[in-house]
Amino acid sequence: MPSKVEKWKDEVYGNEIREHLMEFAEQGWDAIPEDEHDAWFERFKWWGLYHQRSGQESYFMMRIGTPNGVIKPGQLEVIGEVAKEYASGPADNPEFGDAYCDWTTRQSIQLHWIKLEDIPEIFEKLEAVGLGTQQACGDSWRNIVGCPVAGKDKHEHVDAWPVAEDLHETFKGNDDYSNLPRKWKVAIAGCDEGCGQGDINDLAFEPAEKDGELGFNVRIGGGLSRKEPRLARDIDVWVPPEQAADVAHGMSTLFREHGDREDRFNARIKFLMDEWGPEKMRSVLQEEYVDFELETAGEDMRDQYSYNTGSQDGHNDHVGIHEQKDGNYYVGLNVLVGRMGADDVIELAELADEYGSGEVRLTQRQNIIVTDVPEENLDAFTSEPLLEDYSPEPSPFMRGSIACTGTEYCSLSIVETKNRQVRYARWLKDNVELPEDHKDFHIHLSGCTASCAQPQIADVSLRGMKTRKDGEPVEALDIGLGGGLGDDPRFADWVEMRVPADEVPGAIKNLVNNFEDAREGGETFRDFVEDRDEETLAEMVEPEETDYHDPYMHNTKMTWYPYAEDDDMQSSPAPTDGSGEPLPSDD
């Protein structure tokens, strides 16, 4: 039997949702029948809208898709203006204030506290500059990710940006691909650094050479969620750039027709790959879904990958000042946990216009890049006061921090994340010294097993849990070590479970000190972890209290907003009308 979500989708889904969404926006929150909330909230995802969690009824998160992270001239300013005008809630965040943008691990943008009644105006403003929220969520093609400096990078062998743009134009809004069994995540990159992170995507195009021609090898079935991570598997296929869309059509159609629609927990291509294996996957693709002979895989460039590998060589990210192939430069700015105030976004848009071409790009490490900066503008740009907060030369602990949305807004998260990781990074910066040869050290904090912060591919992986301390329930984190991608990708080993959140900084400090004492020669942290068993690693973690203070130890999931002065559910002003005023209670 199809799942209840499939039944909802059979009734209304895809592009037709927009008409209903606009009607609800005109009539207001109360127009959505209460017994149909779950169905409509599931449908709204297709247009980039997630209803926020309990205690925040009538407020939505809005996701804006930017394929390959490319934000064209004129678009960033509008994003900032929309955030400033519409993404303000009934309470401020103590670290970030009010009205901000979140850059995500899939090179998208998320805004919070969006009111249903404001959505028509927001759509109009975004669409006027070529932006949109269509299929940013939901059971369809998600935002296409890849090398954020495609078309500009000196390490590029194939310019993947035209291919990514073609895939976006072909599959976004296309009714044939609007209703898949579950989300469909695609990565494409043409550089030899591996920054597309194809290994953790449903469908990956990676640079490869075949008979002297440059194109892409194809991998299928990567993903991190549900405590069942998978690395994408090689299906022995190479395609030239002009056939990438045909293979993408074939694979997404295969998934549409063979994916599990009865069990949503099993409705990902990685589980179909488990069942079929690469040979059958290739065979079915060839026989049923493409009308040309598939080439066997070419010679890949994975042995050169450096992105998020822990190798301490090459690009582990895009932070810093880097020359483009045209002689200009791109400047990668560190945005701690990916959150940037709306006023800062608007100011950065002005600086990008003044010192570059006006274009910026988002990375999968929640950072932002200003492109096309002439060499003579570098000193003036990097001396701007804004870059004191968004530095191209940050501490490794600031640079390596990623966090998901957490209990601030997300109904799935178990713990607070963004503000906690900010506090962790600042404390570690002031209290922990990495070995001199380690300039990159990645710490990812994910509030639950959905793995939106990609914890399994970090040096230190943190995953939200609960425990008891001194007889009281407190927020806690599982600790994993040694994850990363590259030619030999591996997922983190979970070595310590349910560590009280206020003991995690001490645990990381002890871990780094023990690593420095016990490492052999120039051993990297990732190699160190890979060469030792879990019991030995667990002994090196040593959780302990320090002078670090954590104000979010209580059960933030049971608050209406973790940072509100009166945070109990009964104090929530939600639901509210289009002006933010509380609606009358049904009692």
Side-chain angles (χ1 to χ4, degrees):
M1 295 291 292
S3 69
K4 64 179 180 181
V5 173
E6 288 299 321
K7 294 177 182 178
W8 295 336
K9 293 195 296 179
D10 284 344
E11 295 168 1
V12 179
Y13 207 60
N15 288 299
E16 62 181 330
I17 297 168
R18 180 167 176 145
E19 181 180 346
H20 297 274
L21 179 60
M22 294 302 167
E23 289 177 0
F24 288 134
E26 182 179 352
Q27 297 169 27
W29 166 257
D30 281 342
I32 307 174
E34 189 168 350
D35 62 350
E36 297 179 19
H37 277 188
D38 289 347
W40 284 112
F41 296 163
E42 186 64 39
R43 294 170 182 139
F44 289 170
K45 292 176 185 177
W46 203 90
W47 280 96
L49 295 162
Y50 275 86
H51 186 248
Q52 292 180 188
R53 67 176 182 84
S54 178
Q56 299 171 11
E57 290 79 8
S58 76
Y59 291 99
F60 290 83
M61 178 273 281
M62 176 180 284
R63 184 179 295 154
I64 303 166
T66 49
N68 226 74
V70 175
I71 300 178
K72 298 176 181 179
Q75 292 180 336
L76 186 64
E77 182 178 11
V78 171
I79 292 166
E81 290 172 348
V82 167
K84 187 171 184 176
E85 184 172 356
Y86 301 103
S88 295
D92 286 356
N93 181 302
E95 296 289 347
F96 299 100
D98 191 19
Y100 36 76
C101 298
D102 284 346
W103 317 134
T104 79
T105 54
R106 290 198 63 78
Q107 295 172 281
S108 297
I109 303 141
Q110 291 183 174
L111 308 179
H112 302 281
W113 297 121
I114 299 299
K115 295 296 298 176
L116 182 67
E117 295 83 352
D118 291 331
I119 288 169
E121 288 184 13
I122 296 174
F123 278 7
E124 183 178 357
K125 291 176 184 293
L126 294 176
E127 291 166 0
V129 293
L131 292 166
T133 67
Q134 185 183 52
Q135 290 175 246
C137 318
D139 294 346
S140 60
W141 274 69
R142 296 293 186 89
N143 193 53
I144 297 165
V145 300
C147 174
V149 287
K152 302 179 185 295
D153 189 17
K154 294 177 70 174
H155 298 269
E156 190 169 60
H157 297 268
V158 187
D159 183 357
W161 170 234
V163 184
E165 198 168 27
D166 179 46
L167 293 176
H168 177 80
E169 295 297 329
T170 300
F171 297 103
K172 287 288 183 174
N174 188 323
D175 287 337
D176 288 341
Y177 310 95
S178 66
N179 184 358
L180 301 179
R182 283 286 267 117
K183 63 187 77 171
W184 183 247
K185 296 183 175 181
V186 178
I188 182 165
C191 70
D192 57 21
E193 295 176 325
C195 50
Q197 298 197 141
D199 280 316
I200 58 171
N201 281 266
D202 297 305
L203 169 62
F205 294 96
E206 300 189 330
E209 184 175 347
K210 177 85 172 182
D211 299 331
E213 185 179 357
L214 289 166
F216 305 97
N217 281 350
V218 179
R219 287 177 176 257
I220 302 293
L224 298 178
S225 63
R226 271 194 60 200
K227 287 190 177 180
E228 296 194 51
R230 299 288 192 280
L231 294 167
R233 298 170 70 178
D234 184 359
I235 63 166
D236 192 25
V237 169
W238 177 90
V239 293
E242 62 270 17
Q243 289 183 331
D246 296 320
V247 170
H249 150 76
M251 278 309 311
S252 52
T253 305
L254 183 155
F255 177 55
R256 184 188 69 201
E257 297 182 2
H258 292 279
D260 191 338
R261 291 186 184 267
E262 296 183 359
D263 180 0
R264 286 184 66 77
F265 289 107
N266 200 43
R268 295 296 299 274
I269 193 73
K270 65 182 179 181
F271 297 118
L272 188 61
M273 176 62 86
D274 286 349
E275 181 183 343
W276 284 8
E279 290 185 9
K280 180 175 179 179
M281 189 72 71
R282 187 191 198 281
S283 175
V284 174
L285 174 65
Q286 175 68 84
E287 294 171 8
E288 300 182 28
Y289 297 103
V290 295
D291 59 5
F292 56 89
E293 189 70 25
L294 292 170
E295 299 269 5
T296 56
E299 183 178 352
D300 65 39
M301 303 171 189
R302 291 174 66 88
D303 61 347
Q304 301 175 58
Y305 283 7
S306 59
Y307 192 86
N308 197 24
T309 62
S311 65
Q312 307 302 321
D313 294 320
H315 283 191
N316 261 276
D317 58 29
H318 292 88
V319 174
I321 300 171
H322 306 279
E323 188 175 6
Q324 299 175 183
K325 60 185 178 184
D326 64 0
N328 290 321
Y329 289 78
Y330 70 84
V331 182
L333 305 180
N334 177 231
V335 183
L336 185 55
V337 301
R339 181 164 287 179
M340 196 171 197
D343 287 334
D344 290 348
V345 172
I346 294 168
E347 182 178 351
L348 183 62
E350 294 170 353
L351 296 179
D353 280 334
E354 181 178 354
Y355 295 110
S357 65
E359 178 190 81
V360 302
R361 300 192 177 191
L362 305 178
T363 82
Q364 293 187 62
R365 296 204 55 78
Q366 299 183 325
N367 293 318
I368 194 164
I369 298 168
V370 176
T371 63
D372 307 321
V373 180
E375 184 174 12
E376 60 268 23
N377 287 354
L378 284 173
D379 287 345
F381 175 50
T382 55
S383 298
E384 288 285 346
L386 184 68
L387 271 64
E388 294 176 10
D389 294 324
Y390 307 102
S391 174
E393 298 180 344
S395 149
F397 292 114
M398 311 290 271
R399 180 177 193 154
S401 288
I402 283 180
C404 70
T405 299
T407 53
E408 183 177 9
Y409 303 111
C410 180
S411 61
L412 298 178
S413 185
I414 300 171
V415 300
E416 199 281 337
T417 55
K418 289 280 191 190
N419 289 22
R420 176 171 280 134
Q421 185 59 34
V422 166
R423 297 172 71 88
Y424 282 178
R426 290 171 179 163
W427 189 90
L428 292 167
K429 174 187 174 184
D430 292 340
N431 292 278
V432 181
E433 288 288 335
L434 287 165
E436 288 187 7
D437 58 354
H438 276 59
K439 306 302 181 187
D440 293 285
F441 195 77
H442 296 168
I443 302 175
H444 296 193
L445 172 53
S446 200
C448 71
T449 59
S451 301
C452 296
Q454 303 173 347
Q456 297 95 326
I457 57 169
D459 295 303
V460 175
S461 312
L462 304 175
R463 183 175 61 199
M465 296 296 293
K466 289 285 194 292
T467 193
R468 299 188 76 83
K469 181 174 180 177
D470 300 328
E472 297 294 327
V474 297
E475 298 201 342
L477 299 168
D478 293 340
I479 300 178
L481 303 177
L485 298 179
D487 186 31
D488 182 26
R490 69 187 301 269
F491 295 129
D493 294 323
W494 296 98
V495 301
E496 194 73 28
M497 312 301 280
R498 298 181 184 273
V499 176
D502 62 346
E503 298 179 21
V504 169
I508 295 174
K509 180 178 182 178
N510 290 332
L511 170 67
V512 170
N513 290 340
N514 288 330
F515 160 60
E516 187 160 24
D517 291 342
R519 69 191 295 222
E520 298 175 0
E523 201 172 24
T524 66
F525 181 78
R526 181 171 163 188
D527 290 340
F528 178 87
V529 172
E530 190 167 3
D531 289 342
R532 286 156 182 82
D533 60 41
E534 290 186 11
E535 183 177 352
T536 301
L537 294 170
E539 291 173 354
M540 292 184 169
V541 172
E542 300 181 90
E544 75 170 318
E545 292 183 357
T546 62
D547 60 357
Y548 167 82
H549 173 65
D550 195 311
Y552 312 117
M553 293 296 287
H554 59 297
N555 190 354
T556 59
K557 191 176 182 68
M558 299 306 295
T559 67
W560 77 268
Y561 188 62
Y563 324 117
E565 185 174 350
D566 295 319
D567 64 5
D568 59 283
M569 286 289 185
Q570 291 71 30
S571 299
S572 170
T576 64
D577 62 19
S579 300
E581 295 297 319
L583 290 168
S585 172
D586 293 334
D587 296 340

